[in-house]
Amino acid sequence: MKFKAAWRAFCVLLMLWLAQAPMHVLGQAKPTSQANAKAKAAVVAKAKTNAKAKAKAAAKAKANASAKAKAKAKAKIEATAKTKASANNLNRRGTPMPSSKAPTDEASLDAEVAAARRILTGNPRDVAARERLARAAVSLIDIVLQAEAVGDRKKAQHFAQKLAKDFHDTGLQIRSMAQKGDLKARQATGFFLGRGVLLEKDVDKSCAEFIAAANELAPSGWHAAQCLMESSPEKAWVQMERAAQRGHAAAQEWMGRRCLGEFGGKEKDYVCARGYLIESASLGRPRAQTLLAYLLISGQGGPVDVSRAIRLYKVAAEQGDADAQNNLGEIYEMGRGTTRNLEEAMRWYELAAQTGLGSAQFNAGRLWAIGVGEKKDPARARAFLVQAETNGVSQARQVLDWLDRQSSPTPDATSAQGAVTVPAIDASRK
């Protein structure tokens, strides 16, 4: 009985303990779950942060890779270009070709031609050498056109002769370059077609080439203006003005003359004329120097400057400008701004007369008629005066008639103004 009672008590206690055990377990489990949830959330947050960092790092790495790829591609392109340039700069025998800098003087031009010809002697089909020779010819045309612009005929003729001699086989190559859009080659092609040099003469096609290059090249602008002068004078003068603004000496002179009422100019603007003529004269164009000197000595368009006018006349006269020679002769005959010197006057008159300038022929004949110092030469005077009359100088007949009537000059006719008071003729005043 005691055993049973003890067993029952044990069972009761066990049941009571078992009944309390879940409550104990559950009470302890709740805080444990919260901690686990917080830990799990922290892990998730950290994972997200790490993912974002990895994404940023991946994006940065991708950008760097892209930049490196672009740089590599650029370097590859540059390397390819250099390789092509090197290849183009080699002839088929492996001889290095020089840089593409155009020759600007006769010595460098001759050297370029000689080098290209040596290569072509060994390999007549060498493309690079033929292009090199063609570009040298284009440079030569530049020199010719520049010489013509400033009125240096001797230089222009000299280089034109070199063109026929050294570049006789470059015409088609240059035309091919022109067809590909090379403006200087188009200008050279216009030169060839216009003059029938290296290519068959075709004035219309010549004008087309010059007009195509006119917006960029001053010599082409000048020639385009000449082409358009009859058919479209307004367009012609637009091209002329552009060429003048780009420094073409002949275009500047023409613009100056237009300001003086020539070439269809509507009114005279001496200030405008001086501006253009100063630019042209500074480039060495004798015609502009002569006309500017006349404006300076007459005070038109600005102050009188006789000394500067005399310097300009001398520079132009020494370059062979007949009007400058004639006007310089008048200055020495009259003693304007310098010591009177009849011998020097006669020297310049005769130089100008030899070019066929009627006013100079008249002045030389007149001076020989009245005498240079103690020297008189009626026969020589007649010869010059007859030439002057033939060239349309009406005053020459007056002096010839005077010579027919008298064996020696009268007192009135021995003045510096000349026989029968006919004054010296200034060629710039025509």
Side-chain angles (χ1 to χ4, degrees):
M1 291 292 292
K2 290 180 180 181
F3 176 76
K4 289 182 179 180
W7 175 251
R8 288 177 181 171
F10 173 76
C11 288
V12 171
L13 290 173
L14 180 61
M15 290 176 66
L16 290 172
W17 183 84
L18 289 173
Q20 292 176 355
M23 292 179 62
H24 174 73
V25 172
L26 291 173
Q28 293 296 323
K30 188 174 182 179
T32 302
S33 297
Q34 290 177 347
N36 289 340
K38 289 180 179 180
K40 187 176 181 180
V43 170
V44 171
K46 186 175 181 180
K48 287 182 178 181
T49 302
N50 291 339
K52 288 181 179 180
K54 287 181 179 179
K56 287 182 179 180
K60 186 175 181 181
K62 187 176 181 180
N64 291 338
S66 178
K68 288 181 179 179
K70 288 181 179 179
K72 187 175 180 179
K74 185 178 179 181
K76 187 176 180 179
I77 291 171
E78 291 176 350
T80 302
K82 288 181 179 179
T83 301
K84 288 183 178 180
S86 298
N88 290 335
N89 219 27
L90 292 173
N91 64 22
R92 295 181 182 180
R93 297 171 62 190
T95 305
M97 299 292 282
S99 65
S100 59
K101 185 177 180 180
T104 57
D105 55 60
E106 187 167 8
S108 58
L109 195 66
D110 288 343
E112 192 77 356
V113 172
R117 289 294 181 195
R118 281 196 299 270
I119 296 170
L120 291 172
T121 299
N123 185 359
R125 296 184 179 180
D126 191 288
V127 176
R130 289 213 168 273
E131 183 174 345
R132 179 180 181 180
L133 194 62
R135 292 202 176 279
V138 169
S139 296
L140 184 144
I141 296 303
D142 265 347
I143 296 172
V144 172
L145 292 174
Q146 289 170 13
E148 289 180 345
V150 298
D152 192 340
R153 295 179 182 177
K154 289 183 179 179
K155 183 176 181 180
Q157 290 173 355
H158 171 71
F159 279 94
Q161 290 172 354
K162 288 182 69 68
L163 179 67
K165 177 184 176 183
D166 298 337
F167 300 96
H168 56 87
D169 54 351
T170 60
L172 294 178
Q173 177 72 28
I174 293 171
R175 193 166 193 176
S176 175
M177 291 161 57
Q179 290 170 348
K180 294 176 182 177
D182 187 311
L183 290 182
K184 286 207 169 185
R186 298 201 75 167
Q187 179 172 265
T189 302
F191 179 92
F192 297 150
L193 292 170
R195 309 188 192 197
V197 179
L198 304 189
L199 295 174
E200 186 177 351
K201 188 172 182 176
D202 190 323
V203 176
D204 291 338
K205 289 183 179 179
S206 170
C207 286
E209 295 297 331
F210 281 130
I211 291 171
N215 288 336
E216 298 295 332
L217 304 176
S220 287
W222 159 260
H223 284 282
Q226 303 301 317
C227 291
L228 295 168
M229 197 60 73
E230 290 187 7
S231 61
S232 184
E234 290 185 3
K235 291 182 179 180
W237 284 106
V238 169
Q239 293 290 359
M240 188 73 73
E241 186 174 7
R242 287 177 180 171
Q245 290 170 349
R246 290 191 178 93
H248 193 275
Q252 290 166 343
E253 184 210 330
W254 277 45
M255 289 301 298
R257 289 184 178 275
R258 186 170 169 82
C259 291
L260 293 175
E262 297 183 34
F263 303 128
K266 295 181 179 179
E267 57 183 20
K268 293 184 178 182
D269 185 339
Y270 293 105
V271 175
C272 166
R274 273 204 188 197
Y276 278 115
L277 292 171
I278 286 171
E279 291 180 356
S280 182
S282 68
L283 293 173
R285 185 167 173 84
R287 296 290 298 166
Q289 292 167 341
T290 299
L291 187 51
L292 176 60
Y294 176 71
L295 295 181
L296 289 169
I297 210 166
S298 63
Q300 295 175 317
V304 173
D305 192 338
V306 177
S307 60
R308 185 182 177 192
I310 292 174
R311 289 197 300 272
L312 284 169
Y313 274 142
K314 285 183 177 179
V315 171
E318 288 168 357
Q319 294 181 78
D321 186 78
D323 288 342
Q325 293 168 341
N326 179 64
N327 294 348
L328 191 58
E330 185 194 9
I331 284 173
Y332 279 114
E333 183 184 357
M334 303 298 294
R336 300 180 65 183
T338 188
T339 303
R340 188 170 184 236
N341 187 329
L342 294 181
E343 287 79 9
E344 190 69 2
M346 179 57 77
R347 183 173 78 87
W348 288 114
Y349 282 150
E350 289 194 330
L351 282 173
Q354 290 169 8
T355 69
L357 184 64
S359 54
Q361 292 165 342
F362 169 79
N363 287 333
R366 175 186 52 77
L367 202 56
W368 277 120
I370 64 174
V372 180
E374 297 181 356
K375 298 178 182 178
K376 298 180 181 66
D377 193 332
R380 198 168 184 178
R382 285 180 183 280
F384 279 120
L385 291 167
V386 168
Q387 291 175 353
E389 186 179 30
T390 301
N391 286 323
V393 181
S394 59
Q395 297 97 317
R397 173 44 52 188
Q398 299 176 46
V399 183
L400 284 167
D401 290 343
W402 178 83
L403 283 172
D404 289 339
R405 292 194 305 268
Q406 302 184 28
S407 58
S408 61
T410 64
D412 290 340
T414 57
S415 69
Q417 291 298 312
V420 295
T421 67
V422 178
I425 295 178
D426 183 336
S428 291
R429 297 177 188 172
K430 290 183 177 180

